[in-house]
Amino acid sequence: QIALDVLKDGGNAVDAAIAANAALGLMEPTGNGIGGDLFAIVWDAKSRKLYGLNASGRSPLGISRKLIRERGHDRIPLKGPLSWSVPGCVSGWQALHDRFGKLPLAKSLAPAIRYARDGFPVTQIIAGYWKSGEVILSETPTASRAFLKDGRAPGEGERMTNRDLAKVYRAIGKEGAKAFYEGWIAGEIVRYSESVGGLITLRDLKQHPADWVEPVSASYRGYDVWELPPNGQGIAALQILNVLEQHDIAAMGHNSADFIHLFTEAKKLAFADRAKFYADPKVEKNLPIAELILANEDAFRPRERTLEGLDRIAAAMDQCVDRGLHQRGILPGGLKVARRAPDLWDKLSAN
């Protein structure tokens, strides 16, 4: 409703999206918020062009593998200050507003500010999610003050306020992203980070950019599907679609054994690539994005264990060798599965 009201007030889709995003950060803090990141794909009718925005935050400059180990961890912990990256969401709002917005940023944020100040009813599903985080929130005094009522999560239909967030939104509306990354909000972020052993500094916040990037696509049954390139995981969806397109999904029947098996295997293949190859393109140069999207077009077909299937996999491998992809660890999806089937892998390795 907030987004619709912004449209009625003369705003465009980007103004409405910012307004809705701010409201979700208030009303659904279990999965959204200005402490996180923002990704966007925007179609501009004037230029008839698709624009991609990556407003995800980098790791603090002070973090290192050595420091993590010195603090008793063998990997980045799932929670706590060592897991924090620079918040990118507000820089994304600013970039979208500057390029496409019509209304002042303060006007887009005004509805969320009003609800943060006066209160909003908690919905059923969000109340359940909120309850599941009650213990973790109670462990931190500032989180408890902001997100709990008398030490407990708000229940369904209960009115909740967040006046601290209203104050932050007002500052962003008045001064833009600069208030968040260079002003008093930045100072509060750094002060709290330092008090709990975090690594985020004023320099980290000030030099954070939101990047305009070129979206990437794959064709699926005659439709172009667009995603953002890494460091996000959007191309996993394209890899999965390239596997699914090789099969008659409708004939399988919804939620049949073959249907679930195919979707599961397609996701496993794409997520294996995600774990190995998706990274920050500013750090890992020449990421094989196009090759990854195309590789799964030769992916494993469920229950294919014939020599004909082996020949198909071997041919796909030859293509990878011809293009030098095998030297970078890129193999067709079918070959990855063949590696998990020793009899097929032995035959392939002998050729």
Side-chain angles (χ1 to χ4, degrees):
Q1 186 60 53
I2 285 174
L4 288 173
D5 289 343
V6 168
L7 292 174
K8 292 175 183 177
D9 284 343
N12 61 20
V14 167
D15 298 316
I18 293 171
N21 193 201
L24 288 173
L26 167 69
M27 299 174 184
E28 300 186 9
T30 52
N32 305 269
I34 55 175
D37 297 321
L38 183 150
F39 299 87
I41 298 178
V42 181
W43 171 256
D44 179 41
K46 290 182 180 179
S47 62
R48 300 196 62 77
K49 178 177 170 59
L50 205 60
Y51 294 84
L53 179 67
N54 182 337
S56 60
R58 278 74 171 172
S59 298
L61 291 169
I63 200 167
S64 66
R65 183 178 299 176
K66 179 182 178 183
L67 183 145
I68 291 171
R69 287 175 173 166
E70 287 175 349
R71 295 203 184 180
H73 304 283
D74 60 358
R75 64 188 65 191
I76 298 174
L78 293 177
K79 65 177 184 176
L82 292 183
S83 68
W84 297 345
S85 59
V86 174
C89 176
V90 176
S91 71
W93 287 353
Q94 189 70 61
L96 289 167
H97 172 267
D98 290 348
R99 190 161 202 168
F100 299 111
K102 289 177 60 180
L103 300 180
L105 190 57
K107 194 165 186 178
S108 294
L109 298 180
I113 293 171
R114 184 176 69 252
Y115 280 111
R117 182 193 64 218
D118 300 338
F120 62 92
V122 178
T123 59
Q124 183 183 52
I125 291 177
I126 299 305
Y129 291 154
W130 216 316
K131 181 67 176 178
S132 68
E134 188 177 80
V135 173
I136 293 176
L137 292 171
S138 67
E139 294 172 354
T140 306
T142 49
S144 179
R145 184 186 72 193
F147 298 112
L148 300 180
K149 299 187 71 170
D150 300 322
R152 60 173 179 80
E156 177 188 355
E158 194 167 359
R159 183 169 291 273
M160 189 71 177
T161 62
N162 191 333
R163 293 185 174 89
D164 288 338
L165 185 59
K167 181 180 178 182
V168 169
Y169 279 178
R170 278 195 296 270
I172 296 170
K174 182 178 180 181
E175 304 171 39
K178 189 172 182 179
F180 190 88
Y181 294 100
E182 300 181 40
W184 67 266
I185 302 171
E188 286 295 306
I189 292 172
V190 172
R191 181 194 62 75
Y192 181 76
S193 176
E194 291 175 344
S195 74
V196 294
L199 302 172
I200 293 177
T201 65
L202 287 173
R203 181 185 174 193
D204 289 315
L205 293 166
K206 187 174 182 178
Q207 71 177 27
H208 163 74
D211 298 320
W212 291 101
V213 298
E214 289 295 325
V216 294
S217 70
S219 176
Y220 181 74
R221 306 187 194 277
Y223 293 91
D224 290 333
V225 182
W226 295 87
E227 289 284 356
L228 296 182
N231 59 328
Q233 60 179 6
I235 66 171
L238 304 183
Q239 291 187 261
I240 292 169
L241 289 176
N242 278 335
V243 175
L244 301 184
E245 191 173 30
Q246 314 304 315
H247 302 265
D248 187 350
I249 295 174
M252 294 178 182
H254 180 63
N255 276 352
S256 67
D258 285 344
F259 179 95
I260 293 172
H261 182 205
L262 173 62
F263 272 73
T264 301
E265 291 300 324
K267 188 173 182 179
K268 283 164 60 178
L269 293 175
F271 276 34
D273 283 343
R274 182 186 70 166
K276 184 174 179 63
F277 295 109
Y278 298 9
D280 183 352
K282 295 289 182 68
V283 177
E284 294 291 336
K285 305 297 183 182
N286 301 316
L287 289 178
I289 297 170
E291 293 90 340
L292 287 169
I293 294 173
L294 293 173
N296 277 358
E297 290 184 354
D298 295 306
F300 165 63
R301 300 174 190 273
R303 302 174 183 170
E304 184 169 73
R305 293 290 186 269
T306 64
L307 287 178
E308 180 183 352
L310 179 61
D311 289 342
R312 182 185 59 76
I313 293 171
M317 180 60 187
D318 288 341
Q319 293 179 13
C320 285
V321 172
D322 290 343
R323 298 168 65 188
L325 301 183
H326 70 296
Q327 296 174 347
R328 292 156 70 183
I330 301 174
L331 303 174
L335 187 60
K336 296 173 191 172
V337 176
R339 273 183 159 167
R340 295 198 290 272
D343 56 327
L344 289 182
W345 180 246
D346 290 343
K347 293 176 183 177
L348 183 59
S349 299
N351 290 335

